[in-house]
Amino acid sequence: MKELLIQLDADRKIPLYEQICRFLKEEIRRGKIPPGEKLPSARALAAQLSVSRSTVDLAYGQLTSEGYLNSVPCRGYFVGDVSELYRLEHLEREPVHKRQADAPAFRYDFALNGIDEESFPINIWRKISREVLLEENSALFQLGDPEGEWSLRTVIAEYLHHARGVNCRPEQIVMGAGNDYLVILLSLLLGRDTRIAMENPTYRSAWNCFRSLGHSVAAVPLDEAGMDVERLEESGASAAYVMPSHQFPMGTVMPIRRRLQLLQWAAGREGRFLIEDDYDSEFRYRGKPIPALQGYDTHDCVIYLGTFSKAIAPGIRVSYMVLPERLLPVYRERASVFSATISRIDQSVLEIFLREGHFERHLNRMRAVYKAKHDLLVKNLRELSGILEVSGEHAGVHLLVHFRNGITEQEAIARAASAGIRVYGLSEYIIGEMPERGRNTVLLGYGPLRMQEIEEACRTLKQAWSALDSEAQRQKGPEPEA
Amino acid sequence: MKELLIQLDADRKIPLYEQICRFLKEEIRRGKIPPGEKLPSARALAAQLSVSRSTVDLAYGQLTSEGYLNSVPCRGYFVGDVSELYRLEHLEREPVHKRQADAPAFRYDFALNGIDEESFPINIWRKISREVLLEENSALFQLGDPEGEWSLRTVIAEYLHHARGVNCRPEQIVMGAGNDYLVILLSLLLGRDTRIAMENPTYRSAWNCFRSLGHSVAAVPLDEAGMDVERLEESGASAAYVMPSHQFPMGTVMPIRRRLQLLQWAAGREGRFLIEDDYDSEFRYRGKPIPALQGYDTHDCVIYLGTFSKAIAPGIRVSYMVLPERLLPVYRERASVFSATISRIDQSVLEIFLREGHFERHLNRMRAVYKAKHDLLVKNLRELSGILEVSGEHAGVHLLVHFRNGITEQEAIARAASAGIRVYGLSEYIIGEMPERGRNTVLLGYGPLRMQEIEEACRTLKQAWSALDSEAQRQKGPEPEA
């Protein structure tokens, strides 16, 4: 073939072999060098271009790997058939760096899923991280157990036993990067055809996840003690997702009698399960935490879900579930192929955090922090006791406000919003039609706000909602004398 | 009612209110205090026990929460009906701390999924972690974007563009805790009814995950260029999972022609997708990395999967996928309800690691480290060229050894094992029946072993396999003269 007119530029940042590659690719693409054509030998081209033989070898090797050239032993390099390249034009799209829209600006946000950022035990976390990130721990960089590290599961089993009355062996624990991931695994264990009952209103995220996974989900009404067991029976569900320690969003604590009824429901037929989501049981401001439902389970039918999202931070993504013994072979068969989702470094930091007692101290501190916020919020809201009442308090990091006198959820939210304050409607958590008694209810989370902010936000809310009250009164006409 | 005979022990570590709780629970459970019975008033019991009124309030409150007592306003506390407790006996199981069995002991393990532990950039990682774990970054502790942090996705989009020829906007990137998690999301996006084609032999883990998720999976044979497109067409699959840069386990680099054929297959019918798993494309010891298939995609049909498991460490659990534009609304509809699976702290560390150029330097170092191991292993194996040949070399962190003269995979593995060395059979990665040409092949991963260990392991292997060769020869009779 004719001599190749390659212009090499030794000063350019692109390596010489790549300049050769690019030139040849372009020539082949444009059909300047037709398929089947033999290229000059590497030695000849190197001499022509005054580059080393290995530079040309590298370029030819690369082009062969990519299919532009075929190498025929003892004969040389030939141009391949890349005719499709003429038709498939390379679409160059420059990445667009569009910043995502931030959340609308509220002065104060009574967010339900946040934590007190300032209380994250950052110094201890940093110190432990530094200790863990040492060369002697290099095994941490290899892939770990799909279920989570054994030593961490051991510490969690001990913690669950003494703090939550959960009876389990480490073998029963499966760690996962967040509650939603565990719901995915559960879906595999129970089978997609399993109809799931959830409390109504409920934790929307789990509801959405089950739905996305293709489950049929039944919304079973709550009464003041928790999920209505008769309606559960009627629902045809074979698994019930409940939050006995502190129902989200209603804040109900399920009494022992209802717990036992649920356990009896589960034991009543083969293949029934209770999924106990114990998401924020650590925070209780009256009496000691109520033992988990799992601890009363004698029929091996409770799946216990726990998380460090509320107790430490949602950002760290560590949850776990405790499987009943009879689900262990099912787990091994259907779900153990999925690799671990939590970094081993993070697991190791958490393990030390638990083992050295930092977690317990952190919980005690957080209980005090949240209790102070809780008390302040409740005290402020009580000043509005003429127009609202509070429920779901004394536990968790949110409470409910029920308006009297016909103020609706929507009005309360809108009035708060126009004063720069975000509160949340109960209706977001209700499946299907809103029952009469829920139409006047909003939720206030006090985890992320500072004391000072709660104080200020309440001052504003009192004005906003009182004004609303007078308006509602005006529209209804004067209140009859008592 | 009669006076309660509670024995309080002020020295015990259990708080007084809890001692009261326990006593009353036990009495109620045993039927000593029957349902409906009124308890002494809090004031009276406090006086009787010489404890403060609030201690008894706390105990009564707790028992009421748990359902042992009912509180009737203005009347007092009454024992609840907990008759089910008689039947459901509390099963106390002490956690058993059984240590899981360790992997069988091999002196040297040519593991396929490991990395060079010593090269993990631990000092930089620790330094960046320390910088990230500062109070001013406390927003990191809140829940982040389900798709991963925007700033990290921006850096990854830039990296993919210049290093892999991938064209994407950060919006198209979804981060997840490992490849398997992304396979779960993909399954949701494509729908469970989608038949998936995979190369045969293939990456077992993805195969198993798709199967566990309920997909029908077709095993499409590989030829020397990659997945056989005719057989793919026949398979009836509408998504094909391929590893063009370095097929696992065969080590094939797919030439441009086959890539274009695959793209044409995908463009040939509505709803077809290519899933490009680019798991270890960073490691190539000849020429520059071959651009990703995604970069040639003009029909918006390539889903690109990438991971930091190979390039940094499997233990850190960070993978990502680049979705075609048309899957973005599908993602939002079906999968955006699942919360993020990677800790924001970890995402932040990784982002700085990428942004400050540490990743590129790390890759360069690792290429040199792995190339040295690769060269050493290849050199050693070449000394056995009478009985075996090597393929799949020059890229990734494993290669294939094909025996001649009738030595089978099983014999090669067994002989290596009895000399304390672990090698892996190709058959583990073959779906269905083993083709004739695969029966004599083993895989050797050289990521985790040290140079010295490779040298020593090869010395042992040479003995073990040469002996095997003479045996195989003996059984076959003398080799005919050439």
Side-chain angles (χ1 to χ4, degrees):
Chain A
M1 70 172 288
K2 66 177 196 301
E3 202 169 77
L4 295 169
L5 297 171
I6 307 181
Q7 299 294 326
L8 294 184
D9 179 354
D11 287 340
R12 282 173 68 192
K13 279 193 172 165
I14 301 164
L16 290 175
Y17 87 90
E18 197 176 329
Q19 294 186 40
I20 299 173
C21 275
R22 288 186 183 183
F23 173 84
L24 287 174
K25 275 190 195 178
E26 198 52 34
E27 295 285 289
I28 294 169
R29 279 191 197 171
R30 292 189 184 167
K32 298 274 178 74
I33 318 179
E37 177 98 11
K38 183 173 185 299
L39 288 192
S41 74
R43 193 152 51 94
L45 185 59
Q48 179 206 322
L49 299 173
S50 308
V51 298
S52 79
R53 163 80 190 262
S54 66
T55 300
V56 180
D57 279 340
L58 215 51
Y60 279 7
Q62 177 73 26
L63 291 167
T64 307
S65 294
E66 296 191 32
Y68 286 92
L69 299 182
N70 295 322
S71 156
V72 182
C74 309
R75 288 196 51 217
Y77 290 91
F78 296 82
V79 173
D81 177 10
V82 287
S83 51
E84 287 86 351
L85 271 174
Y86 304 129
R87 277 179 290 135
L88 286 169
E89 195 157 298
H90 190 162
L91 181 73
E92 279 280 350
R93 272 175 299 166
E94 276 302 311
V96 181
H97 298 165
K98 202 181 71 186
R99 190 71 193 93
Q100 285 174 319
D102 284 317
F106 285 96
R107 254 193 315 148
Y108 304 112
D109 186 347
F110 283 96
L112 302 174
N113 60 356
I115 52 151
D116 186 289
E117 281 177 11
E118 289 164 10
S119 298
F120 181 84
I122 194 157
N123 292 319
I124 293 164
W125 207 262
R126 187 171 53 234
K127 184 175 156 288
I128 300 177
S129 299
R130 210 165 53 213
E131 287 165 13
V132 165
L133 285 168
L134 289 178
E135 271 155 40
E136 66 250 38
N137 295 330
S138 60
L140 289 181
F141 313 137
Q142 305 287 10
L143 193 59
D145 272 357
E147 298 81 34
E149 295 308 294
W150 181 259
S151 50
L152 174 58
R153 289 189 283 153
T154 304
V155 187
I156 290 177
E158 283 162 10
Y159 165 72
L160 287 178
H161 188 70
H162 83 254
R164 304 292 306 123
V166 168
N167 294 304
C168 71
R169 300 176 300 127
E171 284 91 338
Q172 291 171 262
I173 297 180
V174 177
M175 313 287 309
N179 199 75
D180 297 350
Y181 179 68
L182 296 177
V183 165
I184 293 173
L185 294 186
L186 271 185
S187 164
L188 288 171
L189 299 189
L190 299 177
R192 208 133 33 208
D193 300 332
T194 299
R195 183 163 159 84
I196 313 280
M198 289 192 74
E199 297 159 327
N200 190 14
T202 195
Y203 176 47
R204 266 282 180 194
S205 178
W207 172 275
N208 290 338
C209 291
F210 277 119
R211 292 285 297 241
S212 277
L213 293 164
H215 286 272
S216 142
V217 190
V220 175
L222 283 172
D223 58 27
E224 64 293 332
M227 185 181 266
D228 184 325
V229 182
E230 237 168 75
R231 300 287 290 275
L232 168 60
E233 187 72 51
E234 288 163 18
S235 74
S238 54
Y241 190 104
V242 291
M243 294 168 267
S245 299
H246 188 233
Q247 205 273 341
F248 188 89
M250 298 309 285
T252 319
V253 178
M254 191 184 289
I256 186 83
R257 202 178 138 74
R258 182 61 54 89
R259 293 174 188 232
L260 297 173
Q261 288 172 337
L262 281 174
L263 286 168
Q264 283 181 320
W265 168 84
R269 194 172 300 170
E270 193 58 41
R272 280 185 177 169
F273 290 97
L274 290 171
I275 305 166
E276 174 180 25
D277 182 356
D278 208 29
Y279 70 107
D280 74 354
S281 57
E282 290 87 357
F283 302 123
R284 231 182 110 63
Y285 315 121
R286 265 199 189 168
K288 71 179 175 87
I290 294 164
L293 187 55
Q294 199 268 7
Y296 296 97
D297 176 21
T298 53
H299 285 82
D300 203 32
C301 58
V302 173
I303 298 159
Y304 176 91
L305 295 181
T307 178
F308 293 100
S309 281
K310 284 280 169 187
I312 302 181
I316 66 163
R317 316 309 298 137
V318 183
S319 298
Y320 52 88
M321 61 182 170
V322 178
L323 295 175
E325 295 281 347
R326 61 176 153 147
L327 279 182
L328 295 184
V330 185
Y331 170 83
R332 276 191 293 274
E333 189 196 321
R334 300 190 193 166
S336 62
V337 298
F338 296 93
S339 307
T341 48
I342 312 169
S343 145
R344 275 176 86 178
I345 297 170
D346 295 352
Q347 291 187 56
S348 197
V349 171
L350 177 61
E351 184 193 324
I352 294 171
F353 190 73
L354 288 164
R355 202 185 282 288
E356 293 186 349
H358 300 296
F359 183 57
E360 222 166 304
R361 283 191 287 279
H362 174 67
L363 282 182
N364 289 335
R365 201 163 44 240
M366 293 317 296
R367 255 181 232 116
V369 166
Y370 288 142
K371 182 175 190 314
K373 294 184 181 186
H374 164 272
D375 291 353
L376 179 64
L377 180 59
V378 168
K379 189 195 83 177
N380 271 285
L381 292 172
R382 286 232 175 96
E383 293 173 23
L384 292 175
S385 63
I387 57 164
L388 57 80
E389 58 187 320
V390 169
S391 78
E393 74 275 36
H394 306 313
V397 289
H398 82 278
L399 49 73
L400 292 85
V401 165
H402 312 274
F403 290 91
R404 318 179 210 241
N405 299 334
I407 299 176
T408 66
E409 169 192 311
Q410 294 311 323
E411 285 161 352
I413 292 172
R415 187 55 69 106
S418 62
I421 295 176
R422 188 165 196 188
V423 300
Y424 295 80
L426 178 59
S427 60
E428 286 185 42
Y429 303 93
I430 288 178
I431 314 300
E433 210 175 323
M434 177 76 120
E436 190 59 47
R437 68 183 180 91
R439 294 194 184 160
N440 58 352
T441 302
V442 295
L443 304 169
L444 276 68
Y446 46 86
L449 293 175
R450 293 190 182 92
M451 292 289 280
Q452 181 64 25
E453 293 174 323
I454 291 176
E455 188 78 52
E456 288 165 14
C458 280
R459 203 176 305 133
T460 313
L461 275 185
K462 275 183 264 183
Q463 284 184 352
W465 285 344
S466 301
L468 193 58
D469 179 51
S470 355
E471 215 168 279
Q473 290 305 316
R474 242 193 340 274
Q475 285 173 9
K476 285 171 73 178
E479 196 171 12
E481 301 277 325
Chain B
M1 72 170 288
K2 65 176 194 301
E3 200 168 79
L4 295 169
L5 297 171
I6 309 181
Q7 300 292 327
L8 295 183
D9 179 353
D11 288 339
R12 283 172 69 192
K13 278 192 172 167
I14 302 163
L16 289 175
Y17 86 91
E18 197 175 330
Q19 295 185 40
I20 299 173
C21 276
R22 288 187 183 183
F23 173 83
L24 287 173
K25 276 190 194 177
E26 196 52 32
E27 296 283 289
I28 294 169
R29 279 191 196 170
R30 292 192 187 165
K32 299 272 179 77
I33 319 179
E37 177 99 10
K38 182 175 184 298
L39 287 193
S41 74
R43 192 154 51 94
L45 185 58
Q48 180 206 322
L49 298 174
S50 310
V51 299
S52 78
R53 163 78 190 262
S54 65
T55 299
V56 179
D57 279 341
L58 214 50
Y60 279 7
Q62 177 73 25
L63 290 167
T64 307
S65 296
E66 296 191 31
Y68 286 94
L69 300 182
N70 295 321
S71 155
V72 182
C74 309
R75 289 197 51 217
Y77 290 91
F78 295 82
V79 175
D81 178 9
V82 287
S83 50
E84 286 87 351
L85 271 173
Y86 305 131
R87 277 179 290 134
L88 286 168
E89 195 159 298
H90 191 161
L91 182 71
E92 279 281 351
R93 270 176 301 164
E94 275 302 311
V96 180
H97 298 162
K98 201 181 71 189
R99 191 71 191 91
Q100 284 175 317
D102 284 316
F106 285 95
R107 256 193 313 148
Y108 304 111
D109 186 348
F110 282 95
L112 303 173
N113 60 356
I115 52 151
D116 185 290
E117 283 178 10
E118 288 163 11
S119 299
F120 182 84
I122 194 157
N123 292 319
I124 293 165
W125 206 262
R126 187 171 54 232
K127 184 173 157 288
I128 300 176
S129 298
R130 210 165 53 212
E131 286 165 15
V132 166
L133 285 168
L134 289 178
E135 270 154 40
E136 66 250 37
N137 295 329
S138 60
L140 289 181
F141 314 136
Q142 305 286 11
L143 194 58
D145 272 358
E147 299 81 34
E149 294 309 295
W150 181 259
S151 50
L152 174 58
R153 289 187 283 152
T154 305
V155 186
I156 289 177
E158 284 162 8
Y159 166 72
L160 287 178
H161 188 70
H162 82 254
R164 305 293 305 122
V166 169
N167 294 305
C168 72
R169 301 176 300 126
E171 284 90 338
Q172 291 171 261
I173 296 180
V174 176
M175 314 285 309
N179 198 74
D180 297 349
Y181 179 68
L182 296 176
V183 166
I184 293 173
L185 294 185
L186 271 184
S187 165
L188 287 171
L189 299 188
L190 300 177
R192 205 134 33 208
D193 299 332
T194 298
R195 184 163 158 85
I196 313 280
M198 289 192 74
E199 298 160 325
N200 191 14
T202 194
Y203 176 46
R204 267 281 180 192
S205 178
W207 172 275
N208 291 337
C209 290
F210 278 119
R211 292 285 297 240
S212 276
L213 293 163
H215 285 272
S216 141
V217 191
V220 175
L222 284 172
D223 59 26
E224 66 292 334
M227 186 181 263
D228 183 326
V229 182
E230 235 168 77
R231 299 286 292 275
L232 168 60
E233 188 73 50
E234 289 164 16
S235 74
S238 55
Y241 190 105
V242 291
M243 293 169 268
S245 299
H246 189 233
Q247 204 272 342
F248 188 87
M250 298 309 284
T252 319
V253 177
M254 193 185 286
I256 187 82
R257 199 176 142 72
R258 181 61 55 88
R259 292 173 189 233
L260 297 174
Q261 287 172 338
L262 281 174
L263 286 167
Q264 282 181 321
W265 168 83
R269 193 172 298 170
E270 194 59 42
R272 279 184 178 170
F273 291 96
L274 290 170
I275 305 167
E276 175 180 25
D277 182 356
D278 208 30
Y279 69 106
D280 74 353
S281 57
E282 290 87 357
F283 302 122
R284 234 182 107 64
Y285 315 121
R286 264 201 190 167
K288 71 179 173 88
I290 294 163
L293 186 56
Q294 200 268 7
Y296 296 98
D297 176 23
T298 53
H299 285 82
D300 203 32
C301 58
V302 173
I303 298 160
Y304 176 91
L305 295 181
T307 179
F308 293 100
S309 282
K310 283 280 169 189
I312 301 181
I316 67 162
R317 314 312 296 138
V318 182
S319 298
Y320 51 88
M321 60 181 171
V322 178
L323 294 175
E325 295 281 348
R326 62 176 154 146
L327 279 183
L328 295 184
V330 185
Y331 170 82
R332 277 191 292 274
E333 189 197 321
R334 300 188 195 167
S336 62
V337 298
F338 296 92
S339 307
T341 48
I342 312 170
S343 145
R344 275 176 85 176
I345 297 169
D346 295 352
Q347 291 187 57
S348 197
V349 171
L350 178 62
E351 184 193 324
I352 295 171
F353 190 74
L354 288 164
R355 201 185 283 289
E356 293 186 349
H358 300 294
F359 183 57
E360 221 165 306
R361 283 191 287 278
H362 174 67
L363 282 182
N364 289 336
R365 201 164 42 240
M366 293 318 295
R367 255 181 231 116
V369 166
Y370 288 142
K371 182 174 190 313
K373 293 184 181 187
H374 164 272
D375 292 353
L376 180 64
L377 180 59
V378 169
K379 189 193 82 176
N380 270 284
L381 292 172
R382 285 229 175 98
E383 292 173 24
L384 290 175
S385 63
I387 57 164
L388 57 81
E389 58 187 321
V390 170
S391 78
E393 73 275 36
H394 306 312
V397 288
H398 82 278
L399 49 72
L400 293 86
V401 164
H402 311 274
F403 289 91
R404 319 181 210 239
N405 298 335
I407 298 177
T408 66
E409 171 192 308
Q410 294 312 321
E411 284 162 352
I413 292 172
R415 187 56 69 106
S418 62
I421 296 176
R422 189 167 193 185
V423 300
Y424 295 81
L426 178 60
S427 60
E428 284 184 43
Y429 302 94
I430 289 179
I431 314 299
E433 209 175 323
M434 177 76 119
E436 191 59 46
R437 67 182 180 92
R439 293 194 186 161
N440 58 353
T441 302
V442 295
L443 305 168
L444 276 66
Y446 46 86
L449 292 175
R450 294 190 181 92
M451 292 290 280
Q452 180 65 22
E453 292 174 325
I454 292 177
E455 189 77 55
E456 287 165 14
C458 281
R459 203 175 307 134
T460 313
L461 275 184
K462 275 183 264 183
Q463 284 184 353
W465 285 344
S466 300
L468 194 57
D469 179 51
S470 354
E471 217 168 277
Q473 289 306 315
R474 241 194 340 273
Q475 283 173 10
K476 284 169 74 177
E479 195 171 10
E481 301 278 325

